Structures are given as structure tokens and as C-alpha cells.
């Protein structure tokens, strides 16, 4: 299993085939990851769910 290190920085660049993500950890090496458009959609959905956002297709009824 990979060692868990605190995030230092990240950057995302669009490529012809999708995206390239650079992740750097404090006390660790940097890692480039290739991401397909479908994977990026899954990442965005996961982040929205983690932040308590609305799932795609749900509507806000305006009540708080």
C-alpha cells in the first residue's frame, strides 16, 4: 500500500487525450497521472459528493 503523505501542491493541465495531473507531497516525490475525460467526470462527481453538493440531475427547491 502507498504511504500517505500530506499534499504540498497539484496542477492540472488539459491534453489532447484528457488531462495530466501533477501531485506533489510534503517529504515525497512528485507524480504525474494521466486522466481520461470520463475519469475526470468521476473525480468531479466524487468531489461534489464529498463537499455535500447536489448530484447531477437534482434540482434545488430554493428552501433553506
Amino acid at each position: 500500500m502507498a504511504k500517505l503523505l500530506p499534499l504540498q501542491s497539484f496542477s492540472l493541465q488539459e491534453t489532447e487525450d484528457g488531462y495530466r495531473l501533477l501531485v506533489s507531497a510534503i517529504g515525497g516525490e512528485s507524480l504525474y497521472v494521466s486522466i481520461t475525460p470520463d475519469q475526470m467526470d468521476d473525480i468531479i462527481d466524487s468531489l461534489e459528493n464529498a463537499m455535500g453538493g447536489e448530484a447531477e440531475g437534482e434540482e434545488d427547491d430554493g428552501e433553506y
Side-chain angles (χ1 to χ4, degrees):
M1 182 172 211
K3 184 176 180 182
L4 183 62
L5 299 172
L7 179 66
Q8 179 175 349
S9 64
F10 71 94
S11 66
L12 184 67
Q13 296 176 329
E14 193 168 0
T15 66
E16 290 181 17
D17 299 330
Y19 302 90
R20 181 174 72 175
L21 175 65
L22 171 63
V23 178
S24 299
I26 297 172
E29 295 186 25
S30 298
L31 174 69
Y32 277 107
V33 179
S34 175
I35 302 171
T36 67
D38 288 340
Q39 290 171 323
M40 180 57 80
D41 290 341
D42 291 342
I43 291 168
I44 291 168
D45 290 345
S46 294
L47 290 170
E48 286 177 347
N49 289 336
M51 298 299 294
E54 294 178 352
E56 189 173 329
E58 289 185 0
E59 295 183 19
D60 183 1
D61 62 8
E63 294 182 26
Y64 296 95

